[in-house]
Each structure stands twice: as C-alpha cells, then as structure tokens.
Amino acid sequence: PAHGLVCAFGLVGNALSFAVLHKYSRSSVATYLLKALAIMDNLFLTSAVVVQTCWAMLLHFGHADEERLQHIHYFMQKYIWPLVHMIQMGTVWMLVLVACNRYIAVCLPLKAGRLCTKSKVQVQIIVLAVTIFIYNVPRFFEYDYHQVNVTNPDNITETTLVNYGLTSKHVYNILYENVTYWLFVFLLPLAVLVFFNVHLVRELKKAQQYRRVLKTSGRSVEENNITLVMIIIIVVFIVCQTPASINQILFYVVDEHTKMT
C-alpha cells in the first residue's frame, strides 16, 4: 500500500507540474524540457505501479494458482522488466539533458540562443531514446527457460524450468548488470549532475546578489525560479537514486538463501 501511495502522489504531482508549466510558460525551452521530464517520471511511476503493485496483488490473492503465477512471472521477466529498465534509464538521462540545457542557458548565455532551441532539444530527445533502446536490447534475452529433467537427492526425476538466458552467465551479471549499470545509470549521470548543480548554485547566488542591488524583470525572476527547481530536482535524484543503485549490486552479491530470509 505504501508503495502504491507514493507512486500515486508522484503521478498527481507530476501531472500538476505539467499543467502549470503548460499553462503559464509554453514558449520556454526550459519548461518544455521540464514537461518532458514530468512525462518520463509519470511513465516510470506507472510502470512501477503496474509491475510491482499488481504483482504483489497477484501473489496475495492468486497464490493458489502457482502455475499461472509462474507463467506471468516469466512473461514479466522477459518482456516487461526490459521496458521498465528503459523507462528508468530514460528518466535519468532526461534529467541530465534538462540540466545540460539549463547549464548552457544560465552559465553560457551567449551560446544559449544557438544551442538551446526547441528543434535541437527534440532531436536530442529522439537520439537519447534510440540510444537507451539499443543499450537495453540485451535485457530481452536475459531469461530463456527450458524444461529439464533433474534427479533430486531421493533419486526421483522431476521436471523443472532452467534459465539459459544471459542472466545465467556470470560474466554478463558482472559486466552488464552491475558495472555498466553503475556507470551509465548512476555514476556518470551523477557526476554530470553534480557538475551542473555546482555551477547552477553559483550562478543562482550571483543572480540573487544582483537582485538586491538592481530591479530585475519578471522574466529574470522566472528564469531564476526554473534554475532553483532544477537544483531541487537534481538533489532529489541523488537522494533517491543512490539507494536504488546500492540495491542493484546487493541483488547480485547476496545469495538466494539470504534473499529469502
């Protein structure tokens, strides 16, 4: 229930943010990117609700039909989880894209008119989506179950399903599931976001100092508010993504018996 409640709260918050940004500031590239980020966040939250919450409900109410649950679980592993990973990675790098454009607009204003246009941002989003899809293609081949006859300690032959997919390979789990995950979903985005965050905070402080001395237009105040929102989003990302990345490593380091207990 708590998981579903948090997701519902996030869905409503992102929807309200999108509505406000769309109503009061449609022309700004920054708000266009923030709206795109809100959509990606809602896609991720929706996938989390569908996959985790619905699966928990199936386990709770449908535990009697274990065979059907097993088939559903295998289907989710093979086809649904790769999509969830794509969306998760998309939210991370969409945030990086927003921060990059915000950095150019605030710290490199002379280049912003040439680099931060809506058409170029749309191309960047498309390139980002294609790159993320290609990177996550191996996830569709992680699980491939086959029926195998196994003899148990009592010399009784039983038929069981064995995974021959990529996750059965130790090297794949180390390199792809952990090393590249930490590099491309956590460490590299984190390093880039920290870099942008430091410079945005510095520029925001300068802007606040100028506002004390000079009268600023409503446009300047709006730009500063967008920068402040961007800083808050980056901080939230760091706080929320760090435990998820640690959990990713623990999932492959901890043995199955410890997971069950």
Side-chain angles (χ1 to χ4, degrees):
H3 178 269
L5 184 62
V6 171
C7 289
F9 180 79
L11 287 168
V12 173
N14 284 321
L16 291 175
S17 298
F18 181 91
V20 171
L21 290 169
H22 184 72
K23 181 177 181 180
Y24 293 103
S25 186
R26 299 186 181 184
S27 60
S28 172
V29 174
T31 54
Y32 177 82
L33 281 167
L34 288 176
K35 288 190 291 184
L37 180 61
I39 292 173
M40 286 300 302
D41 285 343
N42 270 1
L43 284 175
F44 179 66
L45 291 172
T46 302
S47 66
V49 170
V50 171
V51 173
Q52 297 184 8
T53 304
C54 290
W55 176 246
M57 291 177 66
L58 282 172
L59 288 177
H60 182 72
F61 295 106
H63 58 276
D65 195 350
E66 293 184 2
E67 184 177 353
R68 178 175 294 181
L69 285 175
Q70 193 177 51
H71 286 297
I72 294 174
H73 180 62
Y74 294 156
F75 177 83
M76 292 174 64
Q77 283 183 319
K78 189 172 180 63
Y79 299 107
I80 304 301
W81 274 114
L83 297 177
V84 174
H85 280 286
M86 287 183 191
I87 297 172
Q88 180 195 22
M89 196 172 183
T91 59
V92 171
W93 283 98
M94 179 62 71
L95 180 57
V96 173
L97 183 61
V98 174
C100 180
N101 279 268
R102 191 71 253 164
Y103 168 79
I104 295 173
V106 174
C107 302
L108 304 172
L110 297 179
K111 298 181 180 180
R114 178 169 55 89
L115 298 176
C116 298
T117 63
K118 187 172 291 187
S119 59
K120 289 188 176 181
V121 165
Q122 290 172 343
V123 172
Q124 292 166 6
I125 293 175
I126 293 173
V127 171
L128 186 66
V130 172
T131 303
I132 289 173
F133 175 80
I134 294 174
Y135 172 82
N136 284 281
V137 165
R139 294 193 179 278
F140 288 98
F141 304 94
E142 289 184 343
Y143 297 95
D144 183 22
Y145 290 97
H146 295 272
Q147 288 186 343
V148 177
N149 292 326
V150 178
T151 303
N152 60 25
D154 298 326
N155 291 325
I156 299 175
T157 302
E158 298 178 341
T159 301
T160 184
L161 290 176
V162 178
N163 177 33
Y164 288 96
L166 292 176
T167 52
S168 64
K169 315 298 180 184
H170 185 64
V171 175
Y172 176 84
N173 289 330
I174 294 175
L175 295 180
Y176 187 83
E177 292 287 0
N178 286 286
V179 175
T180 60
Y181 178 90
W182 262 73
L183 181 61
F184 295 116
V185 183
F186 183 65
L187 290 180
L188 185 58
L190 178 62
V192 175
L193 289 173
V194 168
F195 172 82
F196 289 147
N197 207 18
V198 169
H199 286 79
L200 287 173
V201 170
R202 188 179 301 167
E203 291 299 321
L204 184 62
K205 288 182 178 180
K206 289 182 181 179
Q208 290 175 342
Q209 291 175 355
Y210 286 132
R211 286 174 61 187
R212 295 192 188 101
V213 179
L214 303 172
K215 285 187 176 181
T216 57
S217 63
R219 180 68 177 173
S220 300
V221 174
E222 180 183 348
E223 290 294 322
N224 290 339
N225 289 338
I226 293 175
T227 303
L228 181 59
V229 169
M230 189 64 243
I231 293 170
I232 294 172
I233 291 174
I234 292 172
V235 172
V236 171
F237 165 82
I238 295 171
V239 173
C240 295
Q241 191 66 20
T242 302
S245 301
I246 294 174
N247 182 68
Q248 176 74 10
I249 286 186
L250 291 176
F251 181 81
Y252 291 96
V253 171
V254 177
D255 58 85
E256 291 295 329
H257 177 72
T258 306
K259 288 180 188 175
M260 296 299 294
T261 56

